[in-house]
Amino acid sequence: MTSLAFERTPLADAELVRLYSQMTQVRHLDTSAIAWQRQGIVPGYAPMRGQEAAQVGAVAALDMSRDFLFPTYREMGAALAAGVDMGEYMATHKATWNGGMYDARATRVTPIQTVIGGSALHAVGWGHGQRLDALAADADAPLDLPVALVFLGDGATSQGDVHEAMNFAGVFETPTVFFVQNNGWAISVPTERQVSGGSVAARGAGYGIAAVRVDGNDIEEVVQATRAAVAHARSGAGPVVVEAMTYRRGPHSTSDDPGRYRSLEEERNDGGPDPLDVARERLLSRGAFSTADVADVQSAAEALEERVRADVQAQGPRPGAEMFEYVYQEMPVSLREQAAAWREESDHV
Amino acid sequence: MSNAVAAPPAHAPESGAARTGRTSLSMNQAINAALHDALAADPRAVVLGEDVGVLGGVFRVTDGLQAEFGADRVFDTPLAESGILGMSVGLAMAGYHPIPEVQFDGFVYPAINQLVTQIARMNFRTRGALPMPITLRMPSFGGIQSPELHSESLEWLFAHVAGLKVVSPSSPHQAYHLLRHAASRPDPVVYMEPKSRYWQKGEVDFDEPGNLEGVDVAREGRHLTLVAWGAMVTRCLQAAEAAAEDGLDVEVLDLRWLSPIDADGLAASIAKTRRAVVVHEAPKTAGLGAEVAQLITERCFGTLKAPVERVTGFDVPFPSGSLENEYIPNIDRILYGIQRVLEYRRG
Ligand SMILES: Cc1ncc(C[n+]2csc(CCOP(=O)(O)OP(=O)(O)O)c2C)c(N)n1
C-alpha cells in the first residue's frame, strides 16, 4: 500500500491565525525554557524549536474531547495545543514529578514518555479498546472511532517496540496515527545512519498500512495530512504513518553539545524555512493579518510565558509521602512500613 | 463506555461465577475455570497472547474461552511479547482489564522493557490517573524437561520491581482463587504458574476461598519451617513426610505472595519453630531466598536457633532436561538443608 491522499487546500484564515498564535506561544515558551535552564530555574529541557508546525498542526487535526495523545519528551507544542497547563507540563523538566503534574485522564494526554518508542504499543492497545467498545455498542453501525495519535522521532522507529506496534496496528486495524517527526537527528546520529530504507513513511508499505510524508515546516500541509490520517483511522480503515520532515534546530537537550557532530553552518543550511515565518508570511500575504496583529500575538505569548515562569518557580518539591502513595492503587503493608520508617527517621512526623 | 479513558479504580467485579461447592480439578483446569469466571464476571476483562484463542494455549489453559467469549474478548496476537504487554498497557488505559499470557517464562525477557518501564510505573507516573489492572500469566519454573528458556525462575526479577505484585499458586484451589483475586485488583500482578504442577489434581472449594493475602501454612509442624512457593511447595511437603520418618515435625510455609511478602505471617511460623530453610528454583545469589532469610533475621533474630539455610538452584543458566534433577532442589538436598540447620552449633 499506499500513500495516503490528502488535499492541499489552504486553511481558513481564522484557523491559521489561531494556529499561528499557538506556534508563537510555544516558540516563546520553548526559547524561555532554555533560558530558565541557564538561570537555574529548571535543571534541564529538551528544546523543540523548528517543530512547532508539526506539533501544533498534528494536534489541530484531533478532537481532544475523544481522541488521545501519546507524546514523548519533546512535545511541548503538542501539549500546549492539546490544552495541557504549561506549568504542570514543565513539572517534568523542573524535576517536580516524572511524567508531569497534569492529569493524564482529564487532559487525554499520556504522561511525558522517557523511553524511546515506549508509547507506540500503548496507542495501539488504547485504539484497540476503542474498537472493541464500538463493536460492543453496535456491531453494524459504521465505525466512527476515537483515534490515538502517538508522537515518535526518527530514532524511535529503530526500536523493536515500534515495529511491533506498527505490525499489531496493521493486524488489528487499530485507529492509530503514528506521527513521526523526522527532525534529522537522534541526538548525534543523523537520519541516514538511523533509518534504513530511505524513509520512515516507506515502512508503512511493509505493514500494509497507509503512509504519507509531509513538509513539517508547513502547518497547513501538516494539518491537512493529519486530518486525512485521522479520518482514515476513525472510519476503521486502520492505522496511518505520517512522517513530518522537520529539523531540530537546537541541541538535543540543554546538556547536549551539537558542535561535536555538526557545524553551525550545517544547522543554518539544513533547517529549511522557519515554520513560524512560513505561517506568518502566508497570513500577511493573504491580508488576513496586519503587522499590528503580529505584535498582539507576540505580547500574548510573552504574557503566557511570564505566567508559566511564575508557576514553575513557585513549584516546590512534592511532599515526600507522595513517593509512597502513588506506587500502587492498593499500598502493600511492607511499603506502608517503609513509609512509616521514612517519616520517623527523617523527622517528617 | 465507549471513548473511555481508564475508568477510575472500580474493581472487585461482582462475582458472576455460578460455581459452588467443591470439586477436584487439575491446576490447569482450575486456572481455566478462573479465567472463565473472570471473563464472565467482568465484561472489561480480556485475554490476549500467543495461541490463546483457537488452540486454547499450548498448555490448554485458555481452552474453550474464545469459543465461549468470542474473539474480541480472547484473542491471539502476533508473536511479540513486548507487543502483548505494551498493548495491554493501552487497553488498561482504555478501561479494560487485560489478562495477557506470555507463553513461557523465558520469553518474558523481550517484554521486560514494557513490564518494568511502563506497566510497573504508569500509576506512579500519572499520580494514580492511569492505573494498570493487568494480570500477567506465565507458565513458570522448571521440571518438565522442556527446551532452553522454557524453565526460568524469575520471581527475583519481578519481586524487585516496585509497582508490580507477584504471586505463585501451589495447588488447584489456590490457583483458582488467587487468579480471581489478582484479576479483580487495580494493580498489576505477575501470576507465576508452576508448569510442572499443571496436571496435579486437587480439591477446589469454590465457597471458601480462605485468606487470599499473605502466606499459607501448607503443613503444620513444630521443629522447623520450610519456606517455599510454586512447585517447590509440593516438593517440600514430600521432604517433610520423609523427615517425619525420622521423628521430625516439619512445617511447610507456602509464601504465595512473592511481592509483597507477608513478613508477619512468615515470622509467625518461624517464631513457633525457631528454625528455617528457604527452598527455591532460582539461582542462589541475590535470589528471593536471601530476602526471606533477612526478613526472618530482622523479626526473629533473638529466638532463632540457627542461621536460615537456603536450598536453591545454582548460579548457572537453568540446565537442559537431563540435568534438571541436579539443578532443581530435590528431596535429598532439602533434607541436607534441614540437617545443616538442626546440627548448627554456636561457635
Ligand atoms: C530506550 C531508550 N534508549 C535510549 C534513550 C536515550 N535517548 C533519549 S533521546 C534519544 C534520541 C531519540 O531520537 P529521536 O527518536 O529521533 O527523537 P528526537 O529526540 O530527535 O526528537 C536517545 C538515544 C532513551 N531515552 N530511551
Side-chain angles (χ1 to χ4, degrees):
Chain A
M1 189 167 189
T2 72
S3 126
L4 183 85
F6 70 98
E7 296 198 13
R8 282 168 205 271
T9 44
L11 297 175
D13 289 349
E15 181 165 37
L16 190 54
V17 169
R18 185 175 66 82
L19 299 180
Y20 173 73
S21 21
Q22 285 184 351
M23 288 165 66
T24 307
Q25 288 175 356
V26 269
R27 168 65 56 90
H28 199 66
L29 267 181
D30 178 71
T31 311
S32 303
I34 300 167
W36 299 343
Q37 192 271 334
R38 308 287 184 242
Q39 296 158 17
I41 297 173
V42 298
Y45 178 69
M48 43 83 64
R49 188 186 189 87
Q51 300 183 215
E52 294 87 352
Q55 294 186 18
V56 166
V59 173
L62 296 177
D63 171 358
M64 287 311 294
S65 71
R66 60 179 183 148
D67 296 332
F68 215 95
L69 201 59
F70 294 75
T72 75
Y73 47 82
R74 203 190 294 289
E75 257 76 70
M76 176 191 259
L80 181 138
V84 171
D85 177 272
M86 285 291 103
E88 294 178 356
Y89 176 86
M90 282 301 294
T92 288
H93 302 293
K94 166 91 176 176
T96 306
W97 195 266
N98 290 334
M101 286 293 291
Y102 56 93
D103 182 331
R105 189 144 44 89
T107 57
R108 311 183 72 78
V109 178
T110 55
I112 288 171
Q113 176 63 264
T114 319
V115 182
I116 302 298
S119 299
L121 282 159
H122 309 170
V124 173
W126 185 87
H128 189 61
Q130 308 316 306
R131 205 186 165 90
L132 292 179
D133 284 345
L135 293 174
D138 183 352
D140 299 324
L143 287 171
D144 179 32
L145 299 169
V147 171
L149 186 144
V150 56
F151 282 106
L152 301 168
D154 46 307
T157 69
S158 299
Q159 284 281 344
D161 269 11
V162 174
H163 161 72
E164 294 188 18
M166 289 185 180
N167 189 49
F168 273 50
V171 166
F172 292 110
E173 297 187 311
T174 60
T176 313
V177 176
F178 297 96
F179 192 94
V180 180
Q181 291 173 85
N182 185 341
N183 65 10
W185 296 87
I187 309 188
S188 64
V189 177
T191 303
E192 57 272 21
R193 301 298 307 157
Q194 186 72 248
V195 179
S196 169
S199 86
V200 177
R203 299 209 168 145
Y207 303 105
I209 61 184
V212 63
R213 195 176 216 198
V214 297
D215 177 357
N217 295 325
D218 180 341
I219 185 140
E220 291 189 295
E221 189 166 323
V222 174
V223 173
Q224 299 294 23
T226 314
R227 279 208 174 122
V230 168
H232 180 94
R234 236 192 246 311
S235 71
V240 184
V241 176
V242 178
E243 182 180 20
M245 303 308 290
T246 63
Y247 188 80
R248 195 195 79 219
R249 282 170 163 73
H252 167 80
S253 72
T254 44
S255 47
D256 180 32
D257 172 11
R260 286 172 167 258
Y261 53 84
R262 67 187 190 197
S263 68
L264 275 177
E265 197 190 335
E266 282 168 317
E267 290 193 19
R268 267 191 302 274
N269 296 340
D270 296 346
D274 183 309
L276 264 79
D277 294 345
V278 173
R280 189 178 50 248
E281 292 313 318
R282 219 165 274 174
L283 281 170
L284 291 169
S285 72
R286 281 187 209 160
F289 221 30
S290 68
T291 38
D293 294 327
V294 175
D296 285 351
V297 165
Q298 181 60 25
S299 40
E302 284 163 18
L304 174 69
E305 184 265 330
E306 269 176 50
R307 209 168 66 233
V308 175
R309 177 169 30 76
D311 271 11
V312 171
Q313 280 180 303
Q315 273 174 32
R318 302 301 307 167
E322 290 187 356
M323 163 172 86
F324 300 98
E325 270 164 32
Y326 289 113
V327 185
Y328 299 96
Q329 292 275 324
E330 295 179 329
M331 193 193 288
V333 177
S334 52
L335 192 56
R336 206 178 297 288
E337 286 171 359
Q338 289 181 22
W342 163 80
R343 232 173 254 121
E344 200 172 320
E345 292 161 12
S346 49
D347 262 354
H348 285 284
V349 197
Chain B
M1 199 126 174
S2 124
N3 192 21
V5 189
H11 285 92
E14 289 298 318
S15 170
R19 286 175 219 269
T20 53
R22 300 156 174 234
T23 184
S24 175
L25 293 175
S26 61
M27 191 181 287
N28 63 354
Q29 288 170 332
I31 298 170
N32 180 266
L35 288 171
H36 175 278
D37 294 352
L39 286 161
D42 177 1
R44 307 296 289 179
V46 288
V47 167
L48 64 157
E50 293 158 14
D51 308 300
V52 297
V54 179
L55 180 67
V58 292
F59 289 106
R60 305 293 178 270
V61 171
T62 54
D63 199 19
L65 298 179
Q66 187 180 70
E68 177 152 359
F69 294 98
D72 285 346
R73 305 277 314 277
V74 180
F75 57 93
D76 291 320
T77 65
L79 211 168
E81 288 70 21
S82 200
I84 293 165
L85 293 195
M87 182 176 199
S88 297
V89 172
L91 282 163
M93 287 174 172
Y96 282 82
H97 300 159
I99 311 179
E101 173 182 299
V102 164
Q103 198 162 67
F104 283 94
D105 37 26
F107 305 119
V108 79
Y109 291 118
I112 289 292
N113 171 31
Q114 284 290 332
L115 193 59
V116 175
T117 70
Q118 307 299 330
I119 292 176
R121 302 173 80 104
M122 197 60 77
N123 194 72
F124 194 74
R125 196 180 276 153
T126 62
R127 303 171 59 77
L130 299 178
M132 292 284 111
I134 295 171
T135 305
L136 165 60
R137 292 181 35 249
M138 198 166 31
S140 300
F141 315 113
I144 63 165
Q145 305 249 325
S146 45
E148 187 175 17
L149 290 165
H150 290 63
S151 305
E152 302 286 289
S153 190
L154 293 172
E155 66 274 32
W156 56 275
L157 172 55
F158 305 133
H160 195 67
V161 179
L164 299 180
K165 296 181 179 179
V166 187
V167 70
S168 185
S170 66
S171 67
H173 177 82
Q174 289 189 12
Y176 178 85
H177 289 292
L178 287 173
L179 182 52
R180 292 296 310 275
H181 184 64
S184 70
R185 307 321 308 156
D187 288 311
V189 179
V190 181
Y191 180 88
M192 301 179 69
E193 301 173 2
K195 61 172 89 73
S196 65
R197 298 278 149 220
Y198 272 142
W199 303 279
Q200 176 189 339
K201 285 212 156 212
E203 189 175 79
V204 181
D205 185 338
F206 292 105
D207 302 327
E208 294 290 339
N211 176 24
L212 296 176
E213 309 275 352
V215 301
D216 180 58
V217 179
R219 182 189 204 273
E220 300 249 18
R222 287 173 297 135
H223 296 145
L224 179 142
T225 302
L226 290 174
V227 184
W229 49 89
M232 285 299 99
V233 173
T234 308
R235 187 147 294 175
C236 286
L237 287 169
Q238 292 160 350
E241 289 299 318
E245 289 168 18
D246 293 334
L248 271 179
D249 190 12
V250 171
E251 176 144 319
V252 177
L253 192 73
D254 181 354
L255 203 59
R256 301 199 303 180
W257 287 92
L258 311 177
S259 176
I261 291 177
D262 172 15
D264 289 340
L266 179 65
S269 173
I270 281 74
K272 185 172 65 171
T273 62
R274 304 172 70 179
R275 293 183 176 95
V277 178
V278 198
V279 180
H280 65 62
E281 294 186 44
K284 186 172 201 169
T285 300
L288 212 54
E291 180 64 34
V292 170
Q294 177 60 16
L295 286 171
I296 294 172
T297 305
E298 285 169 9
R299 296 187 186 231
C300 307
F301 182 70
T303 54
L304 280 182
K305 290 203 169 150
V308 180
E309 274 289 336
R310 286 177 286 173
V311 178
T312 68
F314 304 110
D315 292 357
V316 303
F318 208 104
S320 60
S322 71
L323 288 174
E324 214 174 28
N325 291 336
E326 305 300 325
Y327 173 87
I328 300 173
N330 57 28
I331 293 175
D332 283 344
R333 286 182 57 212
I334 297 171
L335 291 174
Y336 267 107
I338 291 174
Q339 201 177 343
R340 287 198 295 277
V341 170
L342 290 174
E343 290 176 355
Y344 176 78
R345 297 278 174 273
R346 273 168 217 278

